[in-house]
Amino acid sequence: MSTPRHRTAPEHTHPDDVPVLTALAALADPVRLTLVRELAGSPEWSRACGTFDVPVGKAALSHHFTVLRAAGLVEQRDEGPRRVNRLRRAEFDARFPGLLELVLRTEPSA
Amino acid sequence: MSTPRHRTAPEHTHPDDVPVLTALAALADPVRLTLVRELAGSPEWSRACGTFDVPVGKAALSHHFTVLRAAGLVEQRDEGPRRVNRLRRAEFDARFPGLLELVLRTEPSA
């Protein structure tokens, strides 16, 4: 029996396989929208999961990242103890042209 | 005291006053997406609320129309016993350019 890994690698869904309802639902949440906005303003792979300014606990944050991965919005990889992120901007744009631009340019509360 | 009306006129929100999260959440539902799609394919004011092919009861349908009005997606008016609908396509497009086109052209389950 092999030694268990510290944690399993995150599962991803490519944007091409994401239904439009899944994409809309992933973006229709204030915490996830903040994560997407902060990722859009950061270099790829520069942000670990704990570095986002969102008012939720660790379990909730993990759930939000799962939803974002399943919607093809975020890619994650483990670098030692850190799980780092990038926004899948080009692939998501190819699947849903204009959607990310729209949510990024509109004020969240406006 | 005046005679009570049969029912109160529906309240509307103009798309200009709709937060992007509200718009996304309104569209991120299979029943509401079907309503929007069917309205997009029908002449304005031609569809009464009971004419849509959605698998929900009257109370749920009424709730879905309330959400669509609050998101600036649908306008309703009473014509005798019928409440008829139109998609606020131009106004919604002006507020959220490309969003309706995106959800209308993407297959719901694809």
Side-chain angles (χ1 to χ4, degrees), chain A residues 41-108:
Chain A
S42 310
E44 294 197 340
W45 307 119
S46 71
R47 300 289 298 269
C49 289
T51 67
F52 295 88
D53 184 22
V54 287
V56 296
K58 198 169 173 178
L61 186 63
S62 173
H63 164 72
H64 286 304
F65 275 113
T66 300
V67 173
L68 290 173
R69 289 198 314 270
L73 278 158
V74 166
E75 190 176 2
Q76 299 187 305
R77 69 184 185 205
D78 293 331
E79 293 184 349
R82 302 166 78 230
R83 176 161 288 182
V84 291
N85 298 273
R86 79 169 185 98
L87 189 62
R88 306 182 74 160
R89 186 140 191 182
E91 308 101 288
F92 194 85
D93 281 350
R95 167 73 172 123
F96 302 111
L99 182 54
L100 261 183
E101 189 196 332
L102 182 83
V103 303
L104 291 173
R105 80 159 168 243
T106 314
E107 282 304 304

Side-chain angles (χ1 to χ4, degrees), chain A residues 18-21 24-25 27-30 33 95-97 99 102-103 105-110, chain B residues 18-21 24-25 27-30 33 95-97 99 102-103 105-110:
Chain A
V18 172
V20 66
L21 279 169
L24 293 169
L27 292 166
D29 176 274
L33 202 48
R95 167 73 172 123
F96 302 111
L99 182 54
L102 182 83
V103 303
R105 80 159 168 243
T106 314
E107 282 304 304
S109 57
Chain B
V18 172
V20 66
L21 279 169
L24 293 169
L27 293 167
D29 176 275
L33 202 48
R95 168 73 172 123
F96 302 110
L99 182 54
L102 182 81
V103 303
R105 82 158 168 242
T106 314
E107 282 305 304
S109 58

Side-chain angles (χ1 to χ4, degrees), chain B residues 87-107:
Chain B
L87 188 63
R88 305 182 75 160
R89 186 140 191 181
E91 308 103 288
F92 194 85
D93 280 349
R95 168 73 172 123
F96 302 110
L99 182 54
L100 262 183
E101 189 196 332
L102 182 81
V103 303
L104 291 173
R105 82 158 168 242
T106 314
E107 282 305 304

Side-chain angles (χ1 to χ4, degrees), chain B residues 31-109:
Chain B
V31 170
R32 291 194 291 272
L33 202 48
T34 299
L35 298 174
V36 167
R37 283 168 189 278
E38 293 198 13
L39 280 172
S42 310
E44 294 197 341
W45 306 121
S46 70
R47 300 289 298 269
C49 289
T51 67
F52 295 88
D53 184 21
V54 286
V56 295
K58 198 170 175 177
L61 187 62
S62 173
H63 165 73
H64 285 305
F65 276 113
T66 300
V67 173
L68 291 173
R69 290 198 311 272
L73 278 159
V74 166
E75 189 176 2
Q76 298 187 305
R77 69 184 184 205
D78 292 332
E79 293 184 350
R82 302 167 77 231
R83 177 161 287 183
V84 291
N85 298 273
R86 80 169 185 97
L87 188 63
R88 305 182 75 160
R89 186 140 191 181
E91 308 103 288
F92 194 85
D93 280 349
R95 168 73 172 123
F96 302 110
L99 182 54
L100 262 183
E101 189 196 332
L102 182 81
V103 303
L104 291 173
R105 82 158 168 242
T106 314
E107 282 305 304
S109 58

